[in-house]
Amino acid sequence: MKLFTCIVSLTFMVICHADNIDKNAVIQGYSNEASDPEGNYHFGYETSNGIQFQEAGNPAGVRGSLNYVSPDGEHIALAYTADEEGYHPVGDHLPTPPPVPAYVLRALEYIRSHPPPQLKDATQQQK
């Protein structure tokens, strides 16, 4: 539940600090299914200025999505999961790491095929 509270708080902070948001927006849709005995829940809302948020979860993890228009006019669509392995956001607006350079891949392959002597000993002992 702490994770849910954190995510909702961050969402509201992002939304409240955007300059182009209609301050007179009203909630057009709202759903809140409190936790059942197994801990499953669902929460969501939609506002008149196009913000849509929904989240569902249980003790094993959470999944959700958020849609809105950024201050630059870009449509932001964020989907996420959160579980024992962390928070996993997905969205076209998120930065992605550059591809691994070919020389790094060649170096890693060389190291794999020519391990240092102390690694060779440890590898042979495991067999």
Side-chain angles (χ1 to χ4, degrees):
M1 197 64 173
K2 288 181 183 179
L3 180 61
F4 169 73
T5 304
C6 179
I7 292 171
V8 170
S9 297
L10 288 172
T11 302
F12 284 124
M13 287 187 337
V14 167
I15 292 170
C16 292
H17 284 89
D19 291 337
N20 69 337
I21 290 187
D22 177 8
K23 306 275 191 249
N24 297 317
V26 294
I27 295 175
Q28 293 180 322
Y30 173 81
S31 67
N32 185 15
E33 297 173 18
S35 294
D36 63 18
E38 289 82 37
N40 299 305
Y41 72 92
H42 180 270
F43 174 77
Y45 63 87
E46 184 174 348
T47 64
S48 61
N49 60 352
I51 299 169
Q52 298 173 332
F53 175 78
Q54 62 181 353
E55 181 174 282
N58 58 43
V62 174
R63 71 182 185 292
S65 65
L66 170 66
N67 294 287
Y68 65 96
V69 177
S70 75
D72 301 335
E74 178 184 4
H75 180 260
I76 303 295
L78 175 72
Y80 62 88
T81 58
D83 54 26
E84 66 277 352
E85 295 187 22
Y87 177 69
H88 312 281
V90 176
D92 291 340
H93 65 289
L94 297 175
T96 57
V100 178
Y103 68 89
V104 172
L105 294 173
R106 285 192 307 270
L108 291 171
E109 178 57 29
Y110 179 84
I111 292 169
R112 188 193 64 73
S113 62
H114 299 87
Q118 59 270 41
L119 291 180
K120 285 182 184 176
D121 294 340
T123 305
Q124 290 173 356
Q125 289 175 2
Q126 289 177 356
K127 292 182 180 181

